[in-house]
Amino acid sequence: MTASAASQDTVHWAPGDSILWRYRGIGSDDVHICRPVTVVEDTDELLAVWMAPGTECVKPVLLDGTAVHLEPLATRYTAPRTTARAHWSGAGVLKLARPSEPWSVWLFWDQGWRFRSWYVNLELPRTRWSGGVDSEDHFLDISVYPDRSWLWRDEDEFAQAQSCGLMDAALAGRVREAGAAAVELIGAWGPPFSDGWEHWRPDPAWTVPELPADWDRTPAHTAP
């Protein structure tokens, strides 16, 4: 992992640098999702990264290796878990995040670079550290389509996370507020939806970043 330039408060990475995009469990220091990505752009206003097809990532699984989404919803968040390495299947994903926003926006393409949709992933604003960024996923998401229509995603998981005590009422309220703000942004067709990122393409010279052995290491220093 490399950091190319630094201001007094924030380290910025250069296009082509490899960093880790990670998620910790709610109220936990344990990393359960880790994705090596390539920096596209990193400024005070925006971090844009590319996760290439075939990237080796870390994801949560049940103790017997079963995919989490195959567990019945009633026990999905109480069944014991571990982590496993797996390669990202399908097309790559472009992730866009502005520092203070409690969400990131992901862009998906089908084969042949046919743009499919944006995906608003509601999450804790990311914490930056020398090797990448950390966040906390908040279950509720929004799909946004080229015709500017949108729909909620994973409302059932959001409700179940509250039902089983994983997410308290205060946090759920903040997530709903974040979702409402994101919907307002979609309605106004503000950045990043209006910025033309669907026409972006990765540098063909970039290689797929490797997943380091210490992917779950504790950052020595963090900054917002």
Side-chain angles (χ1 to χ4, degrees):
M1 307 298 162
T2 59
S4 55
S7 67
Q8 205 171 28
D9 300 314
T10 304
V11 172
H12 287 296
W13 298 288
D17 284 350
S18 298
I19 64 171
L20 300 178
W21 186 290
R22 310 193 305 182
Y23 290 96
R24 298 180 180 277
I26 290 181
S28 170
D29 291 329
D30 295 332
V31 176
H32 66 141
I33 296 174
C34 180
R35 297 165 180 166
V37 295
T38 301
V39 174
V40 174
E41 176 182 317
D42 183 26
T43 67
D44 288 340
E45 291 76 36
L46 180 72
L47 173 64
V49 302
W50 169 243
M51 185 171 65
T55 299
E56 186 180 23
C57 306
V58 171
K59 65 177 184 178
V61 296
L62 303 185
L63 287 181
D64 64 359
T66 301
V68 169
H69 73 274
L70 297 178
E71 177 72 9
L73 185 61
T75 52
R76 190 169 299 170
Y77 301 118
T78 55
R81 295 186 182 191
T82 185
T83 56
R85 290 173 174 244
H87 292 272
W88 185 266
S89 60
V93 182
L94 179 67
K95 298 187 177 191
L96 310 174
R98 295 194 289 189
S100 61
E101 287 180 337
W103 62 75
S104 56
V105 178
W106 306 358
L107 283 76
F108 291 93
W109 290 264
D110 292 321
Q111 296 299 321
W113 286 102
R114 185 172 67 85
F115 182 65
R116 185 197 315 167
S117 62
W118 295 268
Y119 188 83
V120 180
N121 195 75
L122 297 175
E123 60 190 46
L124 198 68
R126 291 132 308 277
T127 299
R128 299 171 65 103
W129 55 287
S130 61
V133 294
D134 287 358
S135 185
E136 177 184 286
D137 184 77
H138 287 158
F139 301 98
L140 193 61
D141 307 299
I142 309 169
S143 283
V144 185
Y145 298 98
D147 65 359
R148 301 192 183 187
S149 63
W150 61 271
L151 56 85
W152 293 107
R153 293 287 188 186
D154 303 325
E155 292 178 280
D156 57 344
E157 295 189 349
F158 180 61
Q160 183 60 30
Q162 296 168 69
S163 178
C164 71
L166 185 60
M167 177 179 287
D168 64 24
L171 176 56
R174 292 194 295 272
V175 174
R176 291 190 190 96
E177 290 176 0
V183 167
E184 184 175 349
L185 178 65
I186 294 164
W189 209 246
F193 307 104
S194 59
D195 289 343
W197 282 102
E198 64 271 26
H199 305 297
W200 173 88
R201 299 294 182 267
D203 187 331
W206 289 345
T207 58
V208 179
E210 294 184 359
L211 181 66
D214 60 346
W215 56 267
D216 59 347
R217 67 189 182 275
T218 300
H221 171 74
T222 59

